[in-house]
């Protein structure tokens, strides 16, 4: 308590000092807090952070921070922290309308203080100061801070090396930030800035570049490194100005001059790479600068494809020369090659450079670009590019081969698309190959087929060069599978060549075994005869036992592609299922990396999904192993997602037998769908899906299964994209065990639904109402009682004539259920609504019937249309004048429903109700059809008790009319029937023939 009083008094003291503008005293107190905030002792650190947090909104605090981080005599860590607090304060309090916004007077003072001098000695702090100046510039420049750019330019011109560098660093961050503003009113401001400073930026870049080149040729690496840093910063500025600073850059000679100069500068800098060697202190920054030059071209091409047209020729000549000819030997490096390939790819596939199908519809710019490309990509050029891509860039490198031996799992995962290769050479090379092959397939197809022809027959295992070449060529054939459809008889190639390759068991031939099984996976959905599948399964079975782990993993991936294919036939696969599934399980146990286990689990999931119930005899080992894997994967949520997916398919395959998994399954569902548990962020989608399929396949409810529903209230509050699945889960519980479920959860569910209906789309409203409708269908008495709070709104919606047809249809379905199957509850609801509306019950009933008749066309489902007819007929017989007054409308609905559900027997000419179900039959299934779930069976049994499916509408109409006739007498009933249209009467009599 004493400590808290001391802190409060210190805060009041400091605030008082701020107001008195005694900055020295205030600086001392803030400096002390910042010093304590850098402590490793949490007992010292936490109170200091809290104190600084309280001061964030006090006038003068940021002026004190500015003084502290500008004082180079203070501890670096303290100054660093002061900069961070200042930077965070800009985000929170600099905007004029922000809560606790800084005053205009203090902001003016701070802006002036930030650009007083550029002499920060510590690089990291200098960068942070540059970033925070840029943040202020984003909000205030140029209107409130017109002097910023002139002062920066003046400082950049200075002779002091440190000041020049820091000003240039700030100039870059300011330019970068202003260029990122995309609002329409901001673009002209940046364009004005760009046109005003572009000449200076170009001269600055040119000056520093020349200095660097002179110094590097003079072998003065220290000075060269300093100039290179300035070259890099000035080039970064120019990149932003060039790409974002001009609406029509092709009209500006300086812009186009700079872009053309980029090619010469690139050549000079690449030559510098050769000169300095790989171990030079300049090498890393030199490569960064070269990459930045390529980014200038790539960005300009992306944002200004048409102004780039004059640069297409030079870009292609430059990139192709360095990547596909000896000119690049000794000077290029991987990242540069990637950038050059990206440049070629973007030009080749750019839609702006392709003429329209009808040439007359093409833009002149597109025709010009196409002409340049056509002139460049001659037959010899394309042939050389195609051969070089395959024979040079597709070859596995020594590093990749070493990884295969030392870390096969990492190699296998990265080869199949790991993120670590996202920006590396191999995927970039393959994408370029595909784009060029697609655009120039007529030229490149014969080239590739010639390369294949030269490699026919088994390759000598003692010739590693030929093995690598065959691997590369087969890779190309796999990538271009769709383009080669008409040119390769893959079935014959598979039987006559590839099968033989797979039977070579030498350990060095693993390259080809792995590549061939991958190749088959690429062609399986393109061209592969169905009757060859059993032969392929034999191959897969053999390769799943290959001594090499990479081959086994690749085989598993091809298996997934095979069973995923639309021509997959279960009956062809069944003879191999037990053996292959056992080998997949072994592979899952053998691999140790999280990514590899995920990959194998996806294959297992796919197999289970496709063979469905046929998997049941073979899953015991997997079922025993998954709990252990789940436990081991506690820190790997993505692996747990893969386990959930596997369990989803496993439950679907096991059907009712999945109840044996409950001791493992239900805790997983509980954890995955509990929004108070951090893993739910990753697991929720799959967890909900698993919960749903578990319910759908459950033979009977258990206390544990019922208990999981406690998670649902919080899930409904989220109102996320998972809401539809949540409703499906609620419905599944209803079908599984409505009495127990509703007694336990209807009250909380009703509260959640009431909250949801206040702010939900029409589609969401329908989903809520369908739950109520199903509850009434499953348990008419209990459902009406439990969801009673929702029914008045439904009733009002009908009376008020709800405009959204699907909602109105659902309203009528709900009230139809109540009226037909719980008439006493309907009467009490009608009395309640009449009291609330201040109307007579009969008058309100008449309004409901009138609206029902009027909006019958909103109901499109035949089941609901029949339900409406049955419900309104249930009001008969009646001597109520209102019901008799609406008799014509009721008959109208009945006739419409009879048209919907009655089918004529062509032999007897009599009508029968096509919705009637007399008994439950297990459907006969083909091998490719999924068997019904336990929930499907429950729905069928429920339908047998549903009046819609158990009551003949024809007979019900007849009985109700006879009862009304008996009540009123023949004469009275005759008068009543005269109120009905004669054509309707004729149709009704036709339906009732035989009664």
């Amino acid at each position: 308590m004493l400590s808290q009083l001391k802190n409060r008094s210190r805060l009041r003291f400091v605030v008082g000092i701020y107001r008195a503008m005694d900055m020295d005293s205030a600086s001392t107190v803030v400096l002390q807090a910042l010093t304590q905030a850098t402590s490793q002792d949490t007992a010292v650190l936490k109170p200091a952070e809290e104190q600084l947090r309280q001061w964030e909104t006090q006038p003068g605090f940021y002026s004190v921070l500015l003084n502290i981080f500008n004082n180079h005599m203070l501890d670096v860590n303290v100054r660093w922290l002061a900069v961070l607090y200042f930077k965070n304060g800009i985000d929170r309090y600099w905007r004029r309308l922000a809560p606790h916004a800084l005053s205009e007077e203090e902001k003016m003072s701070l802006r002036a203080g930030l650009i007083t001098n550029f002499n920060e000695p510590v690089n990291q702090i200098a960068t942070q100061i540059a970033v925070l100046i840029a943040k202020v510039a984003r909000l205030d420049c140029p209107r409130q801070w017109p002097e910023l750019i002139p002062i920066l330019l003046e400082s950049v011109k200075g002779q002091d090396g440190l000041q020049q560098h820091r000003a240039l660093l700030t100039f870059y961050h300011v330019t970068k930030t202003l260029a990122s503003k995309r609002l329409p009113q901001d673009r002209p401001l940046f364009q004005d800035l760009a046109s005003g400073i572009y000449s200076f930026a170009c001269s600055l870049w040119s000056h520093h570049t020349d200095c660097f080149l002179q110094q590097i040729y003079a072998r003065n690496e220290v000075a060269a490194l300093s100039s290179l840093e300035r070259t890099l910063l000035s080039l970064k500025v120019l990149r932003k100005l060039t790409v974002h600073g001009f609406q029509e850059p092709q009209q500006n000679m300086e812009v186009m001059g700079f872009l053309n100069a980029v090619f010469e500068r690139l050549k000079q800098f690449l030559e510098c790479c050769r000169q300095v060697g790989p171990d030079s202190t300049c090498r890393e920054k030199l490569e960064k600068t070269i990459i930045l030059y390529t980014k200038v071209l790539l960005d300009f091409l992306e944002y200004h494809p048409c102004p780039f047209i004059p640069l297409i020729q030079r870009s292609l000549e430059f990139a192709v020369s360095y990547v596909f000819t000896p000119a690049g030997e000794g000077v290029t490096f991987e990242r540069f090659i990637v950038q050059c390939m990206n440049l070629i790819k973007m030009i080749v596939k750019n839609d702006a450079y392709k003429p329209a199908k009808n040439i007359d519809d093409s833009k002149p710019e597109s025709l010009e670009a196409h002409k340049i490309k056509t002139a460049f990509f001659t037959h010899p050029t394309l042939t050389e590019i195609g051969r070089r891509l395959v024979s040079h860039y597709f070859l596995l490198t020594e590093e990749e081969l070493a990884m295969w031996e030392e870390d096969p799992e990492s190699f296998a995962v990265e080869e199949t698309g790991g993120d670590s290769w996202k920006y590396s050479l191999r995927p970039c090379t393959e994408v370029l190959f595909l784009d060029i092959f697609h655009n120039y397939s007529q030229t490149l197809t014969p080239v590739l087929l010639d390369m294949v022809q030269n490699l026919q027959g088994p390759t000598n295992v003692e010739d590693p060069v030929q093995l690598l070449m065959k691997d590369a060529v087969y890779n190309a054939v796999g990538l271009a599978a769709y383009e080669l459809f008409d040119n390769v008889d893959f079935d014959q190639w598979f039987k006559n060549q590839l099968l033989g390759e797979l039977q070579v068991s030498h350990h060095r031939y693993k390259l080809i075994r792995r590549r061939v099984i991958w190749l088959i996976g690429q062609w399986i959905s393109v061209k592969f005869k169905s009757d060859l599948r059993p032969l392929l399964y034999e191959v897969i079975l053999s390769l799943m036992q290959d001594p090499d782990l990479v081959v086994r993993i690749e085989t598993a991936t091809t298996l997934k592609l095979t069973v995923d294919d639309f021509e997959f036939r279960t009956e062809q696969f069944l003879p191999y299922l037990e053996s292959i599934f056992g080998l997949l399980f072994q592979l899952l146990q053998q691999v140790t990396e999280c990514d590899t286990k995920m990959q194998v689990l996806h294959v297992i999931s796919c197999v289970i999904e496709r063979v469905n119930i046929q998997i049941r005899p073979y899953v015991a080992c997997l079922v025993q192993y998954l709990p252990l894997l789940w436990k081991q994967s506690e820190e790997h949520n993505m692996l747990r997602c893969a386990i959930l997916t596997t369990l989803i398919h496993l439950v679907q395959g096991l059907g009712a037998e999945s109840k044996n998994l409950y001791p493992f399954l239900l805790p997983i569902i509980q954890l995955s769908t509990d929004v108070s548990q951090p893993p739910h962020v990753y697991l929720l989608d799959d967890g909900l899906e698993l919960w749903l399929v578990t319910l759908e396949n459950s033979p009977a409810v258990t206390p544990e299964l019922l208990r999981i529903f406690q998670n649902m209230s919080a899930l409904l509050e989220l109102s996320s994209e998972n809401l539809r699945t949540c409703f499906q889960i609620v419905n599944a519980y209803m079908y599984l065990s409505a009495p127990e479920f509703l007694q336990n959860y209807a009250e909380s569910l009703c509260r959640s639904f009431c909250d949801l209906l206040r702010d939900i789309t029409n589609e969401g409203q329908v989903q809520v109402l369908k739950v109520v409708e199903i509850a009434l269908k499953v348990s008419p008495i209990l459902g009406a009682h439990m969801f009673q709070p929702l029914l008045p709104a439904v009733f009002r919606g009908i009376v008020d004539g709800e405009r959204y047809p699907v909602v109105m249809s659902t309203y009528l379905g709900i009230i139809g259920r109540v009226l037909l199957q719980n008439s006493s509850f309907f009467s009490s609801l009608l009395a309640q609504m009449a009291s609330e509306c201040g109307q007579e019950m009969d008058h309100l009933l008449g309004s409901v019937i009138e609206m029902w008749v009027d909006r019958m066309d909103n109901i499109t489902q035949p089941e609901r249309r029949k339900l409406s007819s049955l419900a309104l007929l249930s009001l008969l017989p009646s001597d109520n004048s209102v019901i008799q007054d609406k008799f014509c409308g009721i008959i109208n609905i009945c006739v419409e429903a009879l048209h919907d559900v009655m089918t004529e027997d062509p032999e007897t000419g009599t009508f029968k109700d096509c919705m009637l179900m007399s008994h439950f039959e297990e459907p006969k299934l083909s091998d490719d059809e999924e068997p019904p779930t336990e929930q499907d069976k429950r729905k069928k049994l429920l339908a047998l008790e549903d009046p819609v499916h158990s009551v003949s509408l024809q007979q019900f109409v007849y009985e109700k009319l006879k009862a009304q006739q008996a009540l009123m007498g023949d004469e009275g009933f005759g008068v009543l029937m005269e109120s009905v249209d004669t054509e309707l009467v004729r149709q009704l009599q036709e339906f009732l023939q035989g009664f």
Side-chain angles (χ1 to χ4, degrees), residues 99-171:
H100 309 292
L102 276 71
S103 68
E104 291 302 318
E105 293 77 15
E106 186 172 2
K107 287 199 289 187
M108 188 181 298
S109 170
L110 292 171
R111 285 194 294 261
L114 285 170
I115 54 175
T116 302
N117 52 58
F118 298 96
N119 59 356
E120 173 54 54
V122 181
N123 284 332
Q124 293 90 335
I125 294 178
T127 300
Q128 290 302 317
I129 292 173
V131 170
L132 69 84
I133 290 173
K135 283 179 174 287
V136 175
R138 183 180 182 87
L139 299 170
D140 290 359
C141 185
R143 292 187 177 92
Q144 286 81 33
W145 207 3
E147 66 274 18
L148 172 62
I149 300 298
I151 287 175
L152 285 173
L153 297 182
E154 194 61 38
S155 301
V156 166
K157 295 174 185 175
Q159 297 303 308
D160 181 277
L162 179 66
Q163 182 175 338
Q164 185 189 68
H165 179 273
R166 298 316 192 217
L168 187 53
L169 178 67
T170 306
F171 186 33

Side-chain angles (χ1 to χ4, degrees), residues 172-317:
Y172 159 62
H173 280 286
V174 169
T175 308
K176 177 184 175 183
T177 301
L178 294 180
S180 69
K181 298 177 76 173
R182 292 286 182 266
L183 292 176
Q185 63 267 29
D186 294 323
R187 300 295 290 275
L189 290 174
F190 185 69
Q191 288 166 3
D192 289 344
L193 169 67
S195 60
I197 66 173
Y198 198 82
S199 293
F200 172 77
C202 280
S203 62
L204 189 69
W205 161 74
S206 186
H207 166 72
H208 288 308
T209 304
D210 288 339
C211 287
F212 163 72
L213 291 171
Q214 290 167 12
Q215 291 156 350
I216 203 70
Y217 288 133
R219 302 194 180 280
N220 184 354
E221 289 205 5
V222 175
L225 189 60
S226 177
S227 293
L228 186 56
E229 174 68 28
R230 287 159 177 74
T231 300
L232 190 60
L233 286 171
S234 56
L235 183 57
K236 285 181 176 180
V237 171
L238 264 179
R239 177 190 173 198
K240 295 299 178 185
L241 295 176
T242 302
V243 174
H244 302 292
F246 299 91
Q247 198 165 355
E248 295 182 334
Q250 72 274 23
Q251 304 295 332
N252 189 301
M253 290 181 63
E254 282 188 301
V255 171
M256 299 311 289
F258 162 68
L259 289 166
N260 275 292
V262 163
F263 297 101
E264 291 306 316
R265 292 303 195 188
L266 266 169
K267 290 177 183 177
Q268 291 171 336
F269 275 67
L270 285 164
E271 199 54 44
C272 288
C273 282
R274 191 198 305 273
Q275 183 172 333
V276 302
D279 301 324
S280 167
T281 53
C282 291
R283 180 72 187 211
E284 183 182 351
K285 194 136 287 183
L286 190 55
E287 290 188 3
K288 276 187 179 179
T289 310
I290 290 169
I291 294 305
L292 186 59
Y293 275 118
T294 62
K295 285 181 177 178
V296 171
L297 295 173
L298 286 165
D299 286 359
F300 194 77
L301 171 55
E302 180 182 353
Y303 286 95
H304 305 284
C306 289
F308 191 87
I309 290 173
L311 302 169
I312 290 177
Q313 181 75 22
R314 288 197 74 178
S315 297
L316 289 173
E317 287 173 352

Side-chain angles (χ1 to χ4, degrees), residues 48-67:
E49 286 181 337
E50 176 60 24
Q51 200 165 62
L52 289 164
R53 190 187 63 77
Q54 292 176 359
W55 289 341
E56 281 180 359
T57 57
Q58 297 300 327
F61 178 60
Y62 296 96
S63 299
V64 173
L65 291 177
L66 177 64
N67 286 343

Side-chain angles (χ1 to χ4, degrees), residues 9 21 181 212 447 564 672 838 840 903 943 981:
S9 64
M21 300 303 288
K181 298 177 76 173
F212 163 72
V447 174
D564 254 349
S672 305
E840 293 292 327
T903 55
D981 182 80

Side-chain angles (χ1 to χ4, degrees), residues 810-821:
T810 315
Y811 281 165
L812 294 171
I814 289 170
I815 294 302
R817 286 277 169 200
V818 174
L819 175 56
L820 179 62
Q821 294 180 271

